[in-house]
PDB file of all heavy atoms in Angstrom:
ATOM      1  N   GLU A   1     137.035 105.589  61.155  1.00 95.00           N
ATOM      2  CA  GLU A   1     137.908 104.495  60.735  1.00 95.00           C
ATOM      3  C   GLU A   1     138.708 103.951  61.918  1.00 95.00           C
ATOM      4  O   GLU A   1     138.826 102.736  62.096  1.00 95.00           O
ATOM      5  CB  GLU A   1     138.854 104.989  59.645  1.00 95.00           C
ATOM      6  CG  GLU A   1     139.703 103.901  59.023  1.00 95.00           C
ATOM      7  CD  GLU A   1     140.534 104.422  57.871  1.00 95.00           C
ATOM      8  OE1 GLU A   1     140.070 105.302  57.136  1.00 95.00           O
ATOM      9  OE2 GLU A   1     141.672 103.935  57.722  1.00 95.00           O
ATOM     10  N   GLU A   2     139.239 104.861  62.758  1.00 94.00           N
ATOM     11  CA  GLU A   2     139.988 104.418  63.930  1.00 94.00           C
ATOM     12  C   GLU A   2     139.084 103.664  64.900  1.00 94.00           C
ATOM     13  O   GLU A   2     139.482 102.648  65.474  1.00 94.00           O
ATOM     14  CB  GLU A   2     140.617 105.625  64.633  1.00 94.00           C
ATOM     15  CG  GLU A   2     141.767 106.240  63.857  1.00 94.00           C
ATOM     16  CD  GLU A   2     142.306 107.494  64.517  1.00 94.00           C
ATOM     17  OE1 GLU A   2     141.827 107.860  65.611  1.00 94.00           O
ATOM     18  OE2 GLU A   2     143.216 108.103  63.938  1.00 94.00           O
ATOM     19  N   LEU A   3     137.885 104.150  65.067  1.00 94.00           N
ATOM     20  CA  LEU A   3     136.933 103.477  65.949  1.00 94.00           C
ATOM     21  C   LEU A   3     136.595 102.092  65.410  1.00 94.00           C
ATOM     22  O   LEU A   3     136.469 101.129  66.174  1.00 94.00           O
ATOM     23  CB  LEU A   3     135.670 104.331  66.078  1.00 94.00           C
ATOM     24  CG  LEU A   3     134.724 104.003  67.204  1.00 94.00           C
ATOM     25  CD1 LEU A   3     135.428 104.124  68.544  1.00 94.00           C
ATOM     26  CD2 LEU A   3     133.523 104.921  67.164  1.00 94.00           C
ATOM     27  N   TRP A   4     136.454 101.972  64.107  1.00 95.00           N
ATOM     28  CA  TRP A   4     136.180 100.682  63.483  1.00 95.00           C
ATOM     29  C   TRP A   4     137.346  99.723  63.739  1.00 95.00           C
ATOM     30  O   TRP A   4     137.145  98.546  64.065  1.00 95.00           O
ATOM     31  CB  TRP A   4     135.938 100.868  61.990  1.00 95.00           C
ATOM     32  CG  TRP A   4     135.622  99.589  61.299  1.00 95.00           C
ATOM     33  CD1 TRP A   4     136.453  98.810  60.577  1.00 95.00           C
ATOM     34  CD2 TRP A   4     134.352  98.921  61.294  1.00 95.00           C
ATOM     35  NE1 TRP A   4     135.800  97.703  60.108  1.00 95.00           N
ATOM     36  CE2 TRP A   4     134.501  97.749  60.535  1.00 95.00           C
ATOM     37  CE3 TRP A   4     133.121  99.213  61.841  1.00 95.00           C
ATOM     38  CZ2 TRP A   4     133.462  96.860  60.326  1.00 95.00           C
ATOM     39  CZ3 TRP A   4     132.083  98.332  61.629  1.00 95.00           C
ATOM     40  CH2 TRP A   4     132.264  97.170  60.874  1.00 95.00           C
ATOM     41  N   ASN A   5     138.591 100.228  63.597  1.00 94.00           N
ATOM     42  CA  ASN A   5     139.765  99.391  63.847  1.00 94.00           C
ATOM     43  C   ASN A   5     139.811  98.931  65.302  1.00 94.00           C
ATOM     44  O   ASN A   5     140.122  97.771  65.595  1.00 94.00           O
ATOM     45  CB  ASN A   5     141.049 100.155  63.493  1.00 94.00           C
ATOM     46  CG  ASN A   5     141.198 100.362  62.006  1.00 94.00           C
ATOM     47  OD1 ASN A   5     140.582  99.673  61.197  1.00 94.00           O
ATOM     48  ND2 ASN A   5     141.999 101.344  61.616  1.00 94.00           N
ATOM     49  N   VAL A   6     139.515  99.840  66.221  1.00 94.00           N
ATOM     50  CA  VAL A   6     139.507  99.478  67.640  1.00 94.00           C
ATOM     51  C   VAL A   6     138.434  98.437  67.911  1.00 94.00           C
ATOM     52  O   VAL A   6     138.651  97.466  68.634  1.00 94.00           O
ATOM     53  CB  VAL A   6     139.303 100.741  68.511  1.00 94.00           C
ATOM     54  CG1 VAL A   6     138.995 100.366  69.944  1.00 94.00           C
ATOM     55  CG2 VAL A   6     140.531 101.627  68.450  1.00 94.00           C
ATOM     56  N   SER A   7     137.271  98.630  67.305  1.00 94.00           N
ATOM     57  CA  SER A   7     136.176  97.676  67.497  1.00 94.00           C
ATOM     58  C   SER A   7     136.564  96.300  66.976  1.00 94.00           C
ATOM     59  O   SER A   7     136.318  95.283  67.641  1.00 94.00           O
ATOM     60  CB  SER A   7     134.923  98.194  66.779  1.00 94.00           C
ATOM     61  OG  SER A   7     133.893  97.256  66.853  1.00 94.00           O
ATOM     62  N   THR A   8     137.186  96.247  65.822  1.00 94.00           N
ATOM     63  CA  THR A   8     137.629  94.971  65.255  1.00 94.00           C
ATOM     64  C   THR A   8     138.678  94.331  66.167  1.00 94.00           C
ATOM     65  O   THR A   8     138.631  93.122  66.420  1.00 94.00           O
ATOM     66  CB  THR A   8     138.214  95.196  63.848  1.00 94.00           C
ATOM     67  OG1 THR A   8     137.238  95.850  63.046  1.00 94.00           O
ATOM     68  CG2 THR A   8     138.608  93.896  63.193  1.00 94.00           C
ATOM     69  N   SER A   9     139.608  95.140  66.653  1.00 95.00           N
ATOM     70  CA  SER A   9     140.648  94.627  67.545  1.00 95.00           C
ATOM     71  C   SER A   9     140.035  94.070  68.829  1.00 95.00           C
ATOM     72  O   SER A   9     140.441  93.004  69.310  1.00 95.00           O
ATOM     73  CB  SER A   9     141.635  95.754  67.871  1.00 95.00           C
ATOM     74  OG  SER A   9     142.582  95.330  68.800  1.00 95.00           O
ATOM     75  N   VAL A  10     139.068  94.771  69.362  1.00 95.00           N
ATOM     76  CA  VAL A  10     138.408  94.300  70.589  1.00 95.00           C
ATOM     77  C   VAL A  10     137.702  92.975  70.328  1.00 95.00           C
ATOM     78  O   VAL A  10     137.762  92.052  71.149  1.00 95.00           O
ATOM     79  CB  VAL A  10     137.425  95.373  71.120  1.00 95.00           C
ATOM     80  CG1 VAL A  10     136.482  94.798  72.159  1.00 95.00           C
ATOM     81  CG2 VAL A  10     138.189  96.544  71.699  1.00 95.00           C
ATOM     82  N   GLN A  11     137.045  92.851  69.179  1.00 94.00           N
ATOM     83  CA  GLN A  11     136.364  91.596  68.851  1.00 94.00           C
ATOM     84  C   GLN A  11     137.367  90.451  68.734  1.00 94.00           C
ATOM     85  O   GLN A  11     137.114  89.340  69.214  1.00 94.00           O
ATOM     86  CB  GLN A  11     135.571  91.741  67.552  1.00 94.00           C
ATOM     87  CG  GLN A  11     134.289  92.516  67.709  1.00 94.00           C
ATOM     88  CD  GLN A  11     133.545  92.668  66.382  1.00 94.00           C
ATOM     89  OE1 GLN A  11     134.114  92.517  65.311  1.00 94.00           O
ATOM     90  NE2 GLN A  11     132.256  92.977  66.476  1.00 94.00           N
ATOM     91  N   GLU A  12     138.509  90.720  68.104  1.00 94.00           N
ATOM     92  CA  GLU A  12     139.529  89.677  67.975  1.00 94.00           C
ATOM     93  C   GLU A  12     140.037  89.249  69.356  1.00 94.00           C
ATOM     94  O   GLU A  12     140.206  88.056  69.620  1.00 94.00           O
ATOM     95  CB  GLU A  12     140.691  90.183  67.114  1.00 94.00           C
ATOM     96  CG  GLU A  12     140.349  90.325  65.657  1.00 94.00           C
ATOM     97  CD  GLU A  12     141.460  90.976  64.852  1.00 94.00           C
ATOM     98  OE1 GLU A  12     142.514  91.344  65.445  1.00 94.00           O
ATOM     99  OE2 GLU A  12     141.281  91.145  63.635  1.00 94.00           O
ATOM    100  N   HIS A  13     140.287  90.235  70.219  1.00 94.00           N
ATOM    101  CA  HIS A  13     140.761  89.904  71.561  1.00 94.00           C
ATOM    102  C   HIS A  13     139.709  89.128  72.345  1.00 94.00           C
ATOM    103  O   HIS A  13     140.048  88.215  73.102  1.00 94.00           O
ATOM    104  CB  HIS A  13     141.175  91.172  72.320  1.00 94.00           C
ATOM    105  CG  HIS A  13     142.464  91.756  71.854  1.00 94.00           C
ATOM    106  ND1 HIS A  13     143.669  91.101  71.985  1.00 94.00           N
ATOM    107  CD2 HIS A  13     142.755  92.930  71.245  1.00 94.00           C
ATOM    108  CE1 HIS A  13     144.634  91.840  71.486  1.00 94.00           C
ATOM    109  NE2 HIS A  13     144.108  92.963  71.022  1.00 94.00           N
ATOM    110  N   GLN A  14     138.454  89.478  72.160  1.00 94.00           N
ATOM    111  CA  GLN A  14     137.388  88.747  72.846  1.00 94.00           C
ATOM    112  C   GLN A  14     137.337  87.298  72.370  1.00 94.00           C
ATOM    113  O   GLN A  14     137.157  86.375  73.167  1.00 94.00           O
ATOM    114  CB  GLN A  14     136.035  89.429  72.627  1.00 94.00           C
ATOM    115  CG  GLN A  14     135.843  90.678  73.453  1.00 94.00           C
ATOM    116  CD  GLN A  14     134.528  91.382  73.158  1.00 94.00           C
ATOM    117  OE1 GLN A  14     133.893  91.146  72.130  1.00 94.00           O
ATOM    118  NE2 GLN A  14     134.131  92.257  74.061  1.00 94.00           N
ATOM    119  N   GLU A  15     137.505  87.095  71.054  1.00 94.00           N
ATOM    120  CA  GLU A  15     137.499  85.728  70.526  1.00 94.00           C
ATOM    121  C   GLU A  15     138.696  84.935  71.061  1.00 94.00           C
ATOM    122  O   GLU A  15     138.552  83.764  71.434  1.00 94.00           O
ATOM    123  CB  GLU A  15     137.499  85.761  68.993  1.00 94.00           C
ATOM    124  CG  GLU A  15     136.180  86.236  68.403  1.00 94.00           C
ATOM    125  CD  GLU A  15     136.236  86.386  66.894  1.00 94.00           C
ATOM    126  OE1 GLU A  15     137.225  85.936  66.270  1.00 94.00           O
ATOM    127  OE2 GLU A  15     135.285  86.960  66.336  1.00 94.00           O
ATOM    128  N   LYS A  16     139.889  85.580  71.098  1.00 93.00           N
ATOM    129  CA  LYS A  16     141.075  84.912  71.653  1.00 93.00           C
ATOM    130  C   LYS A  16     140.846  84.559  73.114  1.00 93.00           C
ATOM    131  O   LYS A  16     141.168  83.451  73.551  1.00 93.00           O
ATOM    132  CB  LYS A  16     142.302  85.817  71.540  1.00 93.00           C
ATOM    133  CG  LYS A  16     142.935  85.851  70.191  1.00 93.00           C
ATOM    134  CD  LYS A  16     144.175  86.729  70.228  1.00 93.00           C
ATOM    135  CE  LYS A  16     144.811  86.842  68.860  1.00 93.00           C
ATOM    136  NZ  LYS A  16     145.996  87.726  68.896  1.00 93.00           N
ATOM    137  N   GLN A  17     140.289  85.503  73.848  1.00 93.00           N
ATOM    138  CA  GLN A  17     140.044  85.264  75.269  1.00 93.00           C
ATOM    139  C   GLN A  17     139.044  84.129  75.460  1.00 93.00           C
ATOM    140  O   GLN A  17     139.217  83.288  76.343  1.00 93.00           O
ATOM    141  CB  GLN A  17     139.512  86.561  75.902  1.00 93.00           C
ATOM    142  CG  GLN A  17     139.466  86.538  77.407  1.00 93.00           C
ATOM    143  CD  GLN A  17     139.006  87.867  77.975  1.00 93.00           C
ATOM    144  OE1 GLN A  17     138.294  88.616  77.326  1.00 93.00           O
ATOM    145  NE2 GLN A  17     139.413  88.144  79.202  1.00 93.00           N
ATOM    146  N   LYS A  18     138.037  84.086  74.609  1.00 92.00           N
ATOM    147  CA  LYS A  18     137.044  83.008  74.688  1.00 92.00           C
ATOM    148  C   LYS A  18     137.719  81.654  74.442  1.00 92.00           C
ATOM    149  O   LYS A  18     137.470  80.677  75.165  1.00 92.00           O
ATOM    150  CB  LYS A  18     135.959  83.269  73.645  1.00 92.00           C
ATOM    151  CG  LYS A  18     134.675  82.545  73.852  1.00 92.00           C
ATOM    152  CD  LYS A  18     133.679  82.991  72.801  1.00 92.00           C
ATOM    153  CE  LYS A  18     132.292  82.523  73.100  1.00 92.00           C
ATOM    154  NZ  LYS A  18     131.324  82.952  72.094  1.00 92.00           N
ATOM    155  N   THR A  19     138.586  81.606  73.430  1.00 93.00           N
ATOM    156  CA  THR A  19     139.307  80.372  73.117  1.00 93.00           C
ATOM    157  C   THR A  19     140.219  79.979  74.283  1.00 93.00           C
ATOM    158  O   THR A  19     140.269  78.808  74.682  1.00 93.00           O
ATOM    159  CB  THR A  19     140.145  80.553  71.836  1.00 93.00           C
ATOM    160  OG1 THR A  19     139.285  80.990  70.788  1.00 93.00           O
ATOM    161  CG2 THR A  19     140.830  79.279  71.421  1.00 93.00           C
ATOM    162  N   GLN A  20     140.940  80.958  74.824  1.00 93.00           N
ATOM    163  CA  GLN A  20     141.846  80.662  75.934  1.00 93.00           C
ATOM    164  C   GLN A  20     141.070  80.204  77.163  1.00 93.00           C
ATOM    165  O   GLN A  20     141.505  79.278  77.857  1.00 93.00           O
ATOM    166  CB  GLN A  20     142.695  81.894  76.260  1.00 93.00           C
ATOM    167  CG  GLN A  20     143.729  82.194  75.194  1.00 93.00           C
ATOM    168  CD  GLN A  20     144.442  83.509  75.426  1.00 93.00           C
ATOM    169  OE1 GLN A  20     144.065  84.308  76.273  1.00 93.00           O
ATOM    170  NE2 GLN A  20     145.498  83.749  74.651  1.00 93.00           N
ATOM    171  N   TRP A  21     139.934  80.819  77.446  1.00 93.00           N
ATOM    172  CA  TRP A  21     139.138  80.376  78.587  1.00 93.00           C
ATOM    173  C   TRP A  21     138.613  78.964  78.361  1.00 93.00           C
ATOM    174  O   TRP A  21     138.497  78.174  79.301  1.00 93.00           O
ATOM    175  CB  TRP A  21     137.975  81.335  78.866  1.00 93.00           C
ATOM    176  CG  TRP A  21     138.387  82.504  79.698  1.00 93.00           C
ATOM    177  CD1 TRP A  21     138.464  83.794  79.298  1.00 93.00           C
ATOM    178  CD2 TRP A  21     138.798  82.486  81.058  1.00 93.00           C
ATOM    179  NE1 TRP A  21     138.884  84.591  80.320  1.00 93.00           N
ATOM    180  CE2 TRP A  21     139.106  83.799  81.433  1.00 93.00           C
ATOM    181  CE3 TRP A  21     138.953  81.483  82.006  1.00 93.00           C
ATOM    182  CZ2 TRP A  21     139.541  84.147  82.686  1.00 93.00           C
ATOM    183  CZ3 TRP A  21     139.397  81.828  83.269  1.00 93.00           C
ATOM    184  CH2 TRP A  21     139.682  83.145  83.607  1.00 93.00           C
ATOM    185  N   GLY A  22     138.311  78.643  77.097  1.00 92.00           N
ATOM    186  CA  GLY A  22     137.881  77.272  76.791  1.00 92.00           C
ATOM    187  C   GLY A  22     138.980  76.273  77.093  1.00 92.00           C
ATOM    188  O   GLY A  22     138.735  75.216  77.696  1.00 92.00           O
ATOM    189  N   SER A  23     140.231  76.606  76.681  1.00 92.00           N
ATOM    190  CA  SER A  23     141.350  75.684  76.959  1.00 92.00           C
ATOM    191  C   SER A  23     141.644  75.625  78.461  1.00 92.00           C
ATOM    192  O   SER A  23     141.971  74.556  78.991  1.00 92.00           O
ATOM    193  CB  SER A  23     142.594  76.091  76.174  1.00 92.00           C
ATOM    194  OG  SER A  23     143.070  77.349  76.607  1.00 92.00           O
ATOM    195  N   VAL A  24     141.525  76.758  79.151  1.00 93.00           N
ATOM    196  CA  VAL A  24     141.720  76.749  80.611  1.00 93.00           C
ATOM    197  C   VAL A  24     140.658  75.874  81.267  1.00 93.00           C
ATOM    198  O   VAL A  24     140.952  75.090  82.184  1.00 93.00           O
ATOM    199  CB  VAL A  24     141.686  78.190  81.176  1.00 93.00           C
ATOM    200  CG1 VAL A  24     141.544  78.199  82.685  1.00 93.00           C
ATOM    201  CG2 VAL A  24     142.926  78.956  80.757  1.00 93.00           C
ATOM    202  N   ASN A  25     139.432  75.976  80.800  1.00 93.00           N
ATOM    203  CA  ASN A  25     138.337  75.179  81.349  1.00 93.00           C
ATOM    204  C   ASN A  25     138.601  73.688  81.129  1.00 93.00           C
ATOM    205  O   ASN A  25     138.377  72.867  82.030  1.00 93.00           O
ATOM    206  CB  ASN A  25     137.020  75.615  80.720  1.00 93.00           C
ATOM    207  CG  ASN A  25     135.813  75.097  81.471  1.00 93.00           C
ATOM    208  OD1 ASN A  25     135.923  74.686  82.614  1.00 93.00           O
ATOM    209  ND2 ASN A  25     134.663  75.109  80.822  1.00 93.00           N
ATOM    210  N   GLN A  26     139.091  73.347  79.933  1.00 93.00           N
ATOM    211  CA  GLN A  26     139.413  71.943  79.652  1.00 93.00           C
ATOM    212  C   GLN A  26     140.536  71.461  80.568  1.00 93.00           C
ATOM    213  O   GLN A  26     140.485  70.333  81.094  1.00 93.00           O
ATOM    214  CB  GLN A  26     139.822  71.771  78.188  1.00 93.00           C
ATOM    215  CG  GLN A  26     138.670  71.898  77.214  1.00 93.00           C
ATOM    216  CD  GLN A  26     139.155  71.835  75.765  1.00 93.00           C
ATOM    217  OE1 GLN A  26     140.348  71.870  75.486  1.00 93.00           O
ATOM    218  NE2 GLN A  26     138.193  71.751  74.854  1.00 93.00           N
ATOM    219  N   SER A  27     141.556  72.314  80.789  1.00 93.00           N
ATOM    220  CA  SER A  27     142.671  71.932  81.675  1.00 93.00           C
ATOM    221  C   SER A  27     142.169  71.732  83.098  1.00 93.00           C
ATOM    222  O   SER A  27     142.582  70.789  83.788  1.00 93.00           O
ATOM    223  CB  SER A  27     143.757  73.008  81.662  1.00 93.00           C
ATOM    224  OG  SER A  27     144.303  73.139  80.370  1.00 93.00           O
ATOM    225  N   VAL A  28     141.280  72.599  83.534  1.00 94.00           N
ATOM    226  CA  VAL A  28     140.731  72.458  84.881  1.00 94.00           C
ATOM    227  C   VAL A  28     139.944  71.159  84.999  1.00 94.00           C
ATOM    228  O   VAL A  28     140.049  70.441  86.007  1.00 94.00           O
ATOM    229  CB  VAL A  28     139.854  73.688  85.235  1.00 94.00           C
ATOM    230  CG1 VAL A  28     139.013  73.448  86.469  1.00 94.00           C
ATOM    231  CG2 VAL A  28     140.720  74.920  85.418  1.00 94.00           C
ATOM    232  N   MET A  29     139.155  70.830  83.982  1.00 94.00           N
ATOM    233  CA  MET A  29     138.372  69.588  84.008  1.00 94.00           C
ATOM    234  C   MET A  29     139.304  68.377  84.044  1.00 94.00           C
ATOM    235  O   MET A  29     139.058  67.409  84.777  1.00 94.00           O
ATOM    236  CB  MET A  29     137.431  69.517  82.796  1.00 94.00           C
ATOM    237  CG  MET A  29     136.338  70.575  82.794  1.00 94.00           C
ATOM    238  SD  MET A  29     135.305  70.533  84.252  1.00 94.00           S
ATOM    239  CE  MET A  29     134.317  69.128  83.884  1.00 94.00           C
ATOM    240  N   ALA A  30     140.390  68.416  83.251  1.00 94.00           N
ATOM    241  CA  ALA A  30     141.347  67.306  83.247  1.00 94.00           C
ATOM    242  C   ALA A  30     142.016  67.182  84.625  1.00 94.00           C
ATOM    243  O   ALA A  30     142.212  66.061  85.139  1.00 94.00           O
ATOM    244  CB  ALA A  30     142.403  67.519  82.162  1.00 94.00           C
ATOM    245  N   ALA A  31     142.353  68.322  85.237  1.00 94.00           N
ATOM    246  CA  ALA A  31     142.969  68.288  86.568  1.00 94.00           C
ATOM    247  C   ALA A  31     141.996  67.718  87.589  1.00 94.00           C
ATOM    248  O   ALA A  31     142.399  66.937  88.476  1.00 94.00           O
ATOM    249  CB  ALA A  31     143.413  69.695  86.970  1.00 94.00           C
ATOM    250  N   LYS A  32     140.732  68.058  87.469  1.00 94.00           N
ATOM    251  CA  LYS A  32     139.722  67.509  88.388  1.00 94.00           C
ATOM    252  C   LYS A  32     139.637  65.994  88.235  1.00 94.00           C
ATOM    253  O   LYS A  32     139.548  65.255  89.229  1.00 94.00           O
ATOM    254  CB  LYS A  32     138.349  68.130  88.117  1.00 94.00           C
ATOM    255  CG  LYS A  32     138.162  69.499  88.706  1.00 94.00           C
ATOM    256  CD  LYS A  32     136.738  69.996  88.468  1.00 94.00           C
ATOM    257  CE  LYS A  32     136.516  71.378  89.054  1.00 94.00           C
ATOM    258  NZ  LYS A  32     135.156  71.853  88.834  1.00 94.00           N
ATOM    259  N   ARG A  33     139.663  65.515  86.982  1.00 94.00           N
ATOM    260  CA  ARG A  33     139.608  64.056  86.763  1.00 94.00           C
ATOM    261  C   ARG A  33     140.834  63.372  87.376  1.00 94.00           C
ATOM    262  O   ARG A  33     140.726  62.325  88.002  1.00 94.00           O
ATOM    263  CB  ARG A  33     139.498  63.758  85.269  1.00 94.00           C
ATOM    264  CG  ARG A  33     138.115  63.994  84.702  1.00 94.00           C
ATOM    265  CD  ARG A  33     138.042  63.474  83.273  1.00 94.00           C
ATOM    266  NE  ARG A  33     138.880  64.287  82.395  1.00 94.00           N
ATOM    267  CZ  ARG A  33     138.418  65.166  81.523  1.00 94.00           C
ATOM    268  NH1 ARG A  33     137.117  65.331  81.372  1.00 94.00           N
ATOM    269  NH2 ARG A  33     139.227  65.869  80.785  1.00 94.00           N
ATOM    270  N   SER A  34     142.021  64.009  87.198  1.00 93.00           N
ATOM    271  CA  SER A  34     143.248  63.429  87.769  1.00 93.00           C
ATOM    272  C   SER A  34     143.159  63.409  89.290  1.00 93.00           C
ATOM    273  O   SER A  34     143.546  62.409  89.935  1.00 93.00           O
ATOM    274  CB  SER A  34     144.473  64.243  87.352  1.00 93.00           C
ATOM    275  OG  SER A  34     144.634  64.192  85.962  1.00 93.00           O
ATOM    276  N   ILE A  35     142.659  64.469  89.862  1.00 93.00           N
ATOM    277  CA  ILE A  35     142.521  64.520  91.323  1.00 93.00           C
ATOM    278  C   ILE A  35     141.541  63.453  91.795  1.00 93.00           C
ATOM    279  O   ILE A  35     141.782  62.772  92.814  1.00 93.00           O
ATOM    280  CB  ILE A  35     142.076  65.943  91.765  1.00 93.00           C
ATOM    281  CG1 ILE A  35     143.222  66.936  91.556  1.00 93.00           C
ATOM    282  CG2 ILE A  35     141.627  65.952  93.210  1.00 93.00           C
ATOM    283  CD1 ILE A  35     142.841  68.383  91.770  1.00 93.00           C
ATOM    284  N   ASP A  36     140.446  63.284  91.043  1.00 93.00           N
ATOM    285  CA  ASP A  36     139.484  62.239  91.409  1.00 93.00           C
ATOM    286  C   ASP A  36     140.129  60.853  91.360  1.00 93.00           C
ATOM    287  O   ASP A  36     139.914  60.006  92.236  1.00 93.00           O
ATOM    288  CB  ASP A  36     138.257  62.290  90.489  1.00 93.00           C
ATOM    289  CG  ASP A  36     137.369  63.490  90.766  1.00 93.00           C
ATOM    290  OD1 ASP A  36     137.500  64.097  91.858  1.00 93.00           O
ATOM    291  OD2 ASP A  36     136.533  63.837  89.889  1.00 93.00           O
ATOM    292  N   THR A  37     140.942  60.602  90.315  1.00 92.00           N
ATOM    293  CA  THR A  37     141.629  59.310  90.191  1.00 92.00           C
ATOM    294  C   THR A  37     142.575  59.099  91.372  1.00 92.00           C
ATOM    295  O   THR A  37     142.620  58.007  91.964  1.00 92.00           O
ATOM    296  CB  THR A  37     142.405  59.256  88.853  1.00 92.00           C
ATOM    297  OG1 THR A  37     141.517  59.533  87.794  1.00 92.00           O
ATOM    298  CG2 THR A  37     143.071  57.915  88.645  1.00 92.00           C
ATOM    299  N   VAL A  38     143.346  60.125  91.720  1.00 92.00           N
ATOM    300  CA  VAL A  38     144.284  60.012  92.848  1.00 92.00           C
ATOM    301  C   VAL A  38     143.512  59.770  94.134  1.00 92.00           C
ATOM    302  O   VAL A  38     143.913  58.947  94.979  1.00 92.00           O
ATOM    303  CB  VAL A  38     145.159  61.293  92.930  1.00 92.00           C
ATOM    304  CG1 VAL A  38     145.941  61.344  94.233  1.00 92.00           C
ATOM    305  CG2 VAL A  38     146.095  61.363  91.745  1.00 92.00           C
ATOM    306  N   MET A  39     142.398  60.463  94.296  1.00 91.00           N
ATOM    307  CA  MET A  39     141.595  60.279  95.517  1.00 91.00           C
ATOM    308  C   MET A  39     141.080  58.837  95.608  1.00 91.00           C
ATOM    309  O   MET A  39     141.096  58.239  96.691  1.00 91.00           O
ATOM    310  CB  MET A  39     140.417  61.262  95.543  1.00 91.00           C
ATOM    311  CG  MET A  39     140.825  62.702  95.766  1.00 91.00           C
ATOM    312  SD  MET A  39     141.601  62.981  97.346  1.00 91.00           S
ATOM    313  CE  MET A  39     140.194  62.871  98.402  1.00 91.00           C
ATOM    314  N   ARG A  40     140.647  58.285  94.476  1.00 90.00           N
ATOM    315  CA  ARG A  40     140.175  56.899  94.479  1.00 90.00           C
ATOM    316  C   ARG A  40     141.319  55.954  94.838  1.00 90.00           C
ATOM    317  O   ARG A  40     141.135  55.013  95.617  1.00 90.00           O
ATOM    318  CB  ARG A  40     139.579  56.540  93.117  1.00 90.00           C
ATOM    319  CG  ARG A  40     138.107  56.846  93.046  1.00 90.00           C
ATOM    320  CD  ARG A  40     137.469  56.303  91.770  1.00 90.00           C
ATOM    321  NE  ARG A  40     137.201  57.476  90.936  1.00 90.00           N
ATOM    322  CZ  ARG A  40     137.705  57.706  89.738  1.00 90.00           C
ATOM    323  NH1 ARG A  40     138.466  56.821  89.163  1.00 90.00           N
ATOM    324  NH2 ARG A  40     137.433  58.810  89.095  1.00 90.00           N
ATOM    325  N   SER A  41     142.497  56.234  94.275  1.00 89.00           N
ATOM    326  CA  SER A  41     143.663  55.375  94.585  1.00 89.00           C
ATOM    327  C   SER A  41     144.004  55.456  96.066  1.00 89.00           C
ATOM    328  O   SER A  41     144.318  54.437  96.701  1.00 89.00           O
ATOM    329  CB  SER A  41     144.878  55.805  93.771  1.00 89.00           C
ATOM    330  OG  SER A  41     144.626  55.636  92.398  1.00 89.00           O
ATOM    331  N   ILE A  42     143.946  56.653  96.616  1.00 89.00           N
ATOM    332  CA  ILE A  42     144.251  56.809  98.046  1.00 89.00           C
ATOM    333  C   ILE A  42     143.225  56.058  98.887  1.00 89.00           C
ATOM    334  O   ILE A  42     143.565  55.380  99.860  1.00 89.00           O
ATOM    335  CB  ILE A  42     144.297  58.307  98.419  1.00 89.00           C
ATOM    336  CG1 ILE A  42     145.539  58.949  97.822  1.00 89.00           C
ATOM    337  CG2 ILE A  42     144.270  58.509  99.928  1.00 89.00           C
ATOM    338  CD1 ILE A  42     145.614  60.443  97.985  1.00 89.00           C
TER     339      ILE A  42
END
């Protein structure tokens, strides 16, 4: 039962981490677009 709980907890953390990495990836892409815009302006 404890092992099952740990396994479930690990899966939840993996899903959270996947979601957070997705948002980090989106932020990085947005920053790249902003940098590209600034570079074009320069």
Side-chain angles (χ1 to χ4, degrees):
E1 186 175 325
E2 289 176 3
L3 195 59
W4 181 260
N5 290 341
V6 168
S7 175
T8 304
S9 175
V10 166
Q11 284 179 341
E12 289 173 359
H13 286 295
Q14 284 177 342
E15 289 175 11
K16 281 183 183 178
Q17 191 177 26
K18 198 176 191 180
T19 305
Q20 289 173 350
W21 276 112
S23 65
V24 166
N25 194 17
Q26 288 175 351
S27 297
V28 167
M29 294 303 284
K32 280 184 180 180
R33 284 189 292 254
S34 297
I35 290 172
D36 288 343
T37 305
V38 169
M39 290 297 286
R40 270 188 253 119
S41 297
I42 289 173

